[in-house]
Amino acid sequence: MLNYLWSFMILAGMLWGAAAGNLDQVTQGLIESAKDAVTLGITMLGIMSFWCGILEIGNRAGLIDWLTRRMGPVLDFLFPDVGRDHPARRPIAVNIVANMLGLGMAATPAGLDAMRALAGEHHNHTATNAMCTFLILNISSLQLIPVNMIAYRSQYGSADPAAVLGPALVATGCSTLVAVVFCKVMEVSR
């Protein structure tokens, strides 16, 4: 569906530019945007590679297991159906920590692993409470340091790329609080 929407918007923009006699500006805008997209993609690839490498070093050094144990009370509260020996516990912790650091792209592989482990043997296409809670927390994504946003702002020449720290913390703190309250209310109502 999104493919049709994007195709329509691109085609409409090109037709509008042609009708208004600005097709040369539309073409120039497409070329500049393509160049910016490649530059941004390479920048974000470097940042993602760096943080995935840091996560792997942390994993090999035992930091991930240590963080998983330290997050035990929080994970017990958020996921009462997921025991301490459940295979989803570790990827859930990695995903939450990566999201807190604003590394959404680096958090994705752990999030997929967590969802697979939470699904386990269930193939009835019905999400469990733990799966719903994880998805909602992943979407709300409390971010202490929005690394990706700071990188985007830096890439586009912001005078103060880190100016988003306070607003991002407030916004994601509120969204995560609402997510936790919602999940707990839904958990009790079932």
Side-chain angles (χ1 to χ4, degrees):
M1 180 66 182
L2 284 178
N3 289 339
Y4 295 120
L5 179 63
W6 282 108
S7 298
F8 171 75
M9 290 190 314
I10 291 169
L11 184 61
M14 291 173 70
L15 291 175
W16 186 265
N22 297 326
L23 198 54
D24 57 332
Q25 291 175 349
V26 171
T27 304
Q28 188 62 31
L30 286 172
I31 292 170
E32 288 176 19
S33 296
K35 183 185 95 174
D36 289 346
V38 169
T39 302
L40 180 62
I42 290 170
T43 300
M44 296 314 293
L45 177 65
I47 291 169
M48 187 175 132
S49 298
F50 172 77
W51 284 107
C52 284
I54 293 294
L55 285 174
E56 183 60 28
I57 290 168
N59 182 31
R60 291 182 184 186
L63 181 63
I64 301 299
D65 291 328
W66 180 81
L67 282 171
T68 303
R69 285 191 305 275
R70 292 290 178 244
M71 290 178 66
V74 173
L75 295 177
D76 290 340
F77 172 73
L78 293 173
F79 304 98
D81 299 337
V82 178
R84 289 191 178 250
D85 59 340
H86 196 283
R89 189 108 167 163
R90 189 171 190 269
I92 287 172
V94 170
N95 180 272
I96 290 172
V97 168
N99 276 327
M100 287 174 69
L101 294 174
L103 306 171
M105 292 180 286
T108 301
L112 293 172
D113 289 344
M115 216 35 120
R116 277 189 212 101
L118 288 171
E121 300 291 321
H122 304 287
H123 297 289
N124 60 1
H125 303 292
T126 301
T128 64
N129 280 346
M131 292 170 81
C132 292
T133 299
F134 179 68
L135 181 63
I136 291 171
L137 284 175
N138 198 19
I139 292 168
S140 70
S141 182
L142 174 64
Q143 291 188 11
L144 302 177
I145 306 168
V147 172
N148 287 341
M149 184 60 65
I150 292 169
Y152 289 137
R153 289 173 51 88
S154 178
Q155 176 73 27
Y156 287 107
S158 172
D160 187 10
V164 296
L165 282 172
L169 182 59
V170 170
T172 61
C174 289
S175 68
T176 300
L177 179 63
V178 169
V180 170
V181 169
F182 175 79
C183 289
K184 288 304 172 183
V185 167
M186 294 306 292
E187 190 177 293
V188 170
S189 69
R190 285 189 176 186

